[in-house]
Amino acid sequence: MRRDFYMPTRIVWGEDVLVHIGSFLRDLPVKNILVVTDPIIAGQPFFTETIARLSDDGFRISVFDECGIDARVAHIDEQAARCRRESISAIVSIGGGSVMCTGKGIAIVATNSESFREVTGVGNFQKEALPMVMVPTTAGSGSEVSQFTIVKDDERHLKLLGGGPLSFPTVAILDPVVLLSLPQRAATFSAIDALSHAIEAYLTDLSTPFTDAIALEAARLQMASMRGSILDSDAKARGNNLLASAMANIACGNARLGHAHALSLPLEGHLDLPHPLGVGSLVPWTFKFNAEVVPEKGTTFAQGLGVDIKGLSAAEAVDAAVDTIFELYDALGFPRHLSNEQLPRDRIPDMAKLAVPGMYGSTVPVVIDQTTVIASPSVRAMTVKHATEIYELASGR
Ligand SMILES: [Fe+2]
């Protein structure tokens, strides 16, 4: 079988590397830039200093600072039209996952269509997206090294995925200084999402020795740096946390994401659950579910998470890994379970059926019953019945 590993994004990192942003843009080269951010980041000194520096460097800057908790189709379509109208030739995204996903959506639509709805799915557009420079202000989504963007369609209550080889960011600038502005809760949520990317990437049918090595090291770095980065604001830990979240996404960009992300999608689209809460509550259980069919990989990953596996069976090592993940949640104040308000019990059967299409644009079967398999590249096939059980576990029932 043919296998492939592709990651063309240039990654630069280190304390204060953001001050050199102009030199990366000059290399492209571009002149008119749209800077995408959210209202909170727009008020941070590092943001205003970056804009001033870019202006001094001779770039013409337009700013879109209305991103919210999710990337939205309406924002993307409107700003892509603005790019065409104003001859904007590059997008700089400074923010968390939703900001970077908005910037990527704009970059794709600006060169390919009138609306993001026309380019959803994997590789469903022909022209190279506008050049993108990404500055993540959370150590989480990994969107800065990913070809994909996840966008909320408010009209249809859906989360849409789009992207392909022509929509990788051009440059990712990982500067731990920008994480200082991040509230602890937001830092925790994004870090748990990043950990889930490493876990999911390790247990798919598309994983390779390349992605396994990156996912394992990402998880090890994350476990070693999250407490220091988030609770103590330790500078070295912040840097490692940023690197680890990018690594986790490089792994899942190639090996894809699995059941936890597939099952989280309907919770996000229909119940408005934040993405990290959905995936974070599901991933310990989907890890255990998958590891049952690949016990050696489960054990190796448990070891990567810091579990002392000496004398443990594979099943015990995986259980210990699940405990380790929950201990991390406790230390960071992340909930072990979803509440009944977040995932009402009577909605679970619906959610399990709505999870069937997965996140990569698979065709939905006409009839969905308890034996229908959720579309996901995870190593173990999950039926609607299994998904129901996983939702119950994630709800602490
Ligand atoms: Fe995620």
Side-chain angles (χ1 to χ4, degrees), residues 174-241:
L174 312 183
D175 187 336
V177 172
V178 305
L179 294 192
L180 281 171
S181 64
L182 193 64
Q184 195 167 307
R185 184 172 185 268
T188 299
F189 271 41
S190 45
I192 299 297
D193 184 27
L195 178 64
S196 77
H197 295 160
I199 298 172
E200 295 247 88
Y202 195 69
L203 295 176
T204 75
D205 282 333
L206 298 169
S207 72
T208 66
F210 288 104
T211 60
D212 283 352
I214 296 171
L216 258 184
E217 179 59 10
R220 193 197 64 75
L221 259 184
Q222 280 161 333
M223 292 305 286
S225 65
M226 261 192 224
R227 288 175 173 85
S229 167
I230 296 168
L231 302 177
D232 307 327
S233 201
D234 174 77
K236 188 169 175 224
R238 268 186 283 122
N240 282 338
N241 214 356

Side-chain angles (χ1 to χ4, degrees), residues 27-42:
D27 286 351
L28 292 179
V30 292
K31 180 78 181 155
N32 295 349
I33 298 164
L34 177 67
V35 178
V36 179
T37 192
D38 65 38
I40 295 167
I41 299 289

